[in-house]
Amino acid sequence: MEFSDSVKLARTDTGLEYFDVKSPLCQAKIFLQGAQITEFIPTGKSDLMWVSADEDYQEGKSVRGGIPICWPWFGVHENADWPAHGFARKIVWRAERVTETPDAVRISLSLPMMQVDKQFWPHESKLEVEFILTEQLEVRLTNTNLGEAPFSLTQALHTYFPTSDIKNTTVDGLQGAKYIEFGEGPFEQSEKVSFARETDMVYTQAAPVQSIHTPEGIIEVGRENSSSCVLWNPWIEKSKRLSNFQNEEYLGMLCLEAANVLEDIATVEPGQSHTLATTIRWR
């Protein structure tokens, strides 16, 4: 396929292929494995993506950072033997289109359905993700139903954000939303969220835009076709149990994930599509 002037295909030392984007507007890295973006640096600003210093970029393993795609279920499946967060983040996706205009670089990839185990996903469907790279990042994950019966799924764009100090970081814009944490709730969020312990909040009825206030500046996170999101930081003890994660790295990251979970589950009718999207920028 043809690339644009700002896009080339590169490999890690371990052999994983990725799109290396260097445009007048931004720099980015998007891996074919998992269709996972791991770097997005608007020109003149710092990286909006966090990746663990222990990440070793191995085949068949989701990268610890960037935006893993959780699909077609989020979290632990009711069948405990099935992979957590689905399987899309471990499969090598197919590059479909790379286009560039003065205003944006657009990269689209699709999940090769022939590689999908039918016991996990028996439905006739298409899954495509589009990355729109400007001075901000837009990620659009589109499910299309090619069958004759509706199907439902949960999903998330599991975004890892950087901060120099989680203890001096807050999240605004979740006030009024409901959340469940560690199986308890729902509770109503009444104020900005700060971090002083392990945080694993699954929100519903959330406003379409939140802001992450870090010592480096404010990151604005928007969502489309999503009234649910997930806020996560592993804190001290869980950090010690995570793969590809240094013990102290919880101090420098958080996840705020656009999602379709709980009551916000996505149902797609025959011949129809559903797009979960997130937009991320420095404000």
Side-chain angles (χ1 to χ4, degrees):
M1 65 181 299
E2 293 184 3
F3 299 158
S4 73
D5 292 341
S6 299
V7 182
K8 67 177 182 178
L9 199 59
R11 288 181 183 268
T12 64
D13 292 341
T14 55
L16 296 188
E17 289 188 305
Y18 63 92
F19 286 111
D20 190 12
V21 180
K22 290 183 172 64
S23 83
L25 297 170
C26 64
Q27 293 181 207
K29 291 181 180 178
I30 300 170
F31 281 79
L32 272 65
Q33 179 171 280
Q36 185 169 349
I37 187 167
T38 60
E39 177 183 284
F40 180 75
I41 307 173
T43 299
K45 299 182 180 179
S46 57
D47 201 342
L48 277 159
M49 303 281 96
W50 177 91
V51 175
S52 172
D54 270 4
E55 178 54 49
D56 55 2
Y57 300 97
Q58 295 298 315
E59 182 179 349
K61 287 177 58 181
S62 176
V63 173
R64 176 69 71 185
I67 309 182
I69 295 174
C70 302
W71 185 92
W73 59 84
F74 176 81
V76 177
H77 196 274
E78 60 185 16
N79 186 331
D81 294 333
W82 290 18
H85 293 314
F87 49 82
R89 61 198 179 126
K90 298 182 180 181
I91 292 177
V92 176
W93 291 45
R94 181 171 50 241
E96 296 288 351
R97 293 176 300 281
V98 176
T99 60
E100 182 173 5
T101 66
D103 299 325
V105 173
R106 294 173 178 257
I107 297 176
S108 296
L109 302 97
S110 65
L111 185 70
M113 288 299 176
M114 293 294 291
Q115 296 185 31
V116 172
D117 191 325
K118 293 294 185 181
Q119 72 165 328
F120 296 146
W121 187 248
H123 310 289
E124 295 296 322
S125 68
K126 178 182 178 181
L127 182 66
E128 189 168 77
V129 63
E130 182 181 28
F131 299 89
I132 304 172
L133 310 170
T134 62
E135 71 285 345
Q136 65 181 22
L137 169 64
E138 184 176 357
V139 184
R140 304 182 63 81
L141 182 67
T142 300
N143 292 269
T144 301
N145 189 338
L146 303 177
E148 298 180 354
F151 59 74
S152 297
L153 66 143
T154 57
Q155 57 186 351
L157 298 169
H158 192 312
T159 311
Y160 287 77
F161 291 103
T163 176
S164 63
D165 184 2
I166 192 65
K167 296 177 182 178
N168 285 303
T169 297
T170 59
V171 177
D172 194 11
L174 289 167
Q175 295 92 323
K178 307 290 185 182
Y179 70 89
I180 292 174
E181 187 171 35
F182 307 124
E184 298 183 357
F187 307 104
E188 183 169 337
Q189 186 68 47
S190 59
E191 56 190 19
K192 292 181 182 180
V193 182
S194 56
F195 299 87
R197 58 174 177 81
E198 182 181 349
T199 301
D200 194 357
M201 296 171 168
V202 183
Y203 286 91
T204 58
Q205 304 173 41
V209 178
Q210 282 73 46
S211 57
I212 304 170
H213 295 249
T214 76
E216 292 69 52
I218 299 173
I219 302 170
E220 187 174 276
V221 185
R223 302 184 326 283
E224 182 182 324
N225 295 322
S226 162
S227 61
S228 57
C229 59
V230 182
L231 185 64
W232 182 70
N233 180 284
W235 215 248
I236 300 169
E237 291 306 315
K238 189 165 187 177
S239 293
K240 298 174 183 177
R241 304 193 300 271
L242 292 174
S243 62
N244 288 20
F245 197 97
Q246 295 181 356
N247 289 352
E248 301 296 317
E249 284 191 314
Y250 74 93
L251 292 165
M253 55 70 63
L254 70 154
C255 290
L256 180 58
E257 312 165 28
N260 292 120
V261 295
L262 299 177
E263 64 195 51
D264 189 33
I265 188 171
T267 298
V268 188
E269 298 293 333
Q272 301 298 307
S273 295
H274 176 280
T275 298
L276 169 65
T278 189
T279 303
I280 301 162
R281 68 184 181 97
W282 286 108
R283 191 166 75 191

